[in-house]
Amino acid sequence: MAGVFGLNLEQLASRGYLHTQWVSRQVHGMKDARGMPLFDKVLYPSRNNYPAASIALFERAQDTVIVSEDIDLPDHADWPRFVADYRVGVVPPDPDRPDTP
């Protein structure tokens, strides 16, 4: 899809989001013959968790999204793997500094 919009690999891999947000705006504005939006989301390769995919939802997708259950990250089944893979350190809150996480 990047080639369709004239983007190169450097623009896609950039930490700046100027080019990818431009693509998102273009996709958001695409309409069918009746003037109805063609897309309510964009699915793309995750830059930070490759080869997983990420999804960007447009506001018009809100009626199609259902949160079935909200759980704390440490209770998520993939949390231990995520912590190990990304070497995340979890520090308990400091009781002497209640204003900090």
Side-chain angles (χ1 to χ4, degrees):
M1 184 165 110
V4 171
F5 291 103
L7 297 181
N8 61 39
L9 184 57
E10 180 181 356
Q11 292 166 322
L12 291 174
S14 169
R15 286 291 174 193
Y17 295 102
L18 177 69
H19 301 290
T20 52
Q21 288 175 345
W22 178 82
V23 169
S24 181
R25 281 191 301 276
Q26 299 304 308
V27 172
H28 183 272
M30 292 178 167
K31 300 199 181 332
D32 66 15
R34 299 171 297 147
M36 299 300 295
L38 284 173
F39 305 102
D40 61 1
K41 64 190 134 316
V42 177
L43 181 69
Y44 58 96
S46 173
R47 178 183 305 160
N48 297 309
N49 196 22
Y50 186 82
S54 293
I55 189 167
L57 298 173
F58 299 137
E59 74 285 346
R60 58 180 168 246
Q62 69 185 5
D63 293 336
T64 63
V65 177
I66 299 169
V67 177
S68 58
E69 184 179 356
D70 191 14
I71 63 171
D72 292 331
L73 279 176
D75 296 333
H76 192 282
D78 287 336
W79 180 247
R81 181 193 57 78
F82 179 86
V83 169
D85 288 353
Y86 294 98
R87 300 188 319 211
V88 173
V90 180
V91 179
D94 184 346
D96 295 329
R97 296 188 61 202
D99 60 326
T100 60

